[in-house]
Each structure stands twice: as structure tokens, then as C-alpha cells.
Amino acid sequence: MTAPAAGPVDEKDAEHADVQAEQDGADAWKTREGAAPASIVACPNGPLLVRGDFEIVTPDGVPVPRDRETVALCRCGGSAIKPYCDGTHKLMKFDTARRRPVPAPARKAAEEA
């Protein structure tokens, strides 16, 4: 965390500093030296299991809170707690074996690579 600029500290800045300090403490396990690199396992007909040292962020770059070293990320699209899995894939009979056609732009990019 960077030092605040000189000058008076308002209540909002103090609250932000308190929240940041709590997040820094809660996330300390993620940044420890020697942490295992991230690994991803695609579960058949289920979520992606992500283990190790990683960070999940929103499109705006805001970290998504997590309290576990291993998380299950939804890939069926039906979870009520996205990006995390809530087991909905079982109810909707999500099938990862079903092949979907690759869109032409993606197919062309893959062929050129």
C-alpha cells in the first residue's frame, strides 16, 4: 500500500485504510514466498478447480474476494455465485463432452498461430 499524500485525512480515507489493512492481512497467505504456482483442473461436466498462488479480478481489475487456496470456478454459466461454482451444473446436466462448433474467426486465428 502506498503512503497517503500529506495533508488532512478525512473519514473516508481512514475507512479505506482500515479496509485495505484487513484485506492485506486476509490475503497474506497468497503472497508468501515459495507458494505453489497456480494450476487449473477442468472437472468433467463440472467446474474449473484452481489451486495455488493466483488472484481473481473483475474486468475493472478489482480483486474478487476469496478465503480458500483452492476454488471451483463456474463454467456452465448457471451459478448464482459467479465466478464461483454452486453445483448448478449438476441440475442443468452440463456436458463438457458435447462438441460445439468453433466460430470462424477463432478457427482462423488458431490456424495462423
Side-chain angles (χ1 to χ4, degrees):
M1 190 165 120
T2 60
V9 176
D10 67 10
E11 194 172 82
K12 201 174 202 177
D13 288 340
E15 287 177 10
H16 176 71
D18 289 344
V19 169
Q20 186 64 46
E22 288 175 13
Q23 290 175 348
D24 289 346
D27 293 340
W29 63 269
K30 292 195 301 193
T31 56
R32 67 182 183 268
E33 262 186 58
S39 67
I40 301 173
V41 176
C43 296
N45 304 325
L48 296 174
L49 294 182
V50 186
R51 295 181 176 99
D53 189 21
F54 64 94
E55 182 176 48
I56 301 171
V57 296
T58 66
D60 297 330
V62 177
V64 175
R66 65 183 173 98
D67 58 358
R68 299 174 183 210
E69 194 166 346
T70 300
V71 297
L73 298 179
C74 175
R75 65 178 176 152
C76 74
S79 175
I81 57 171
K82 290 181 194 88
Y84 303 113
C85 174
D86 68 358
T88 300
H89 58 275
K90 294 174 192 173
L91 297 173
M92 61 189 297
K93 297 184 169 85
F94 181 63
D95 183 6
T96 57
R98 190 177 79 210
R99 296 276 182 197
R100 292 171 186 87
V102 177
R107 186 173 43 249
K108 184 177 179 183
E111 291 169 355
E112 292 173 357

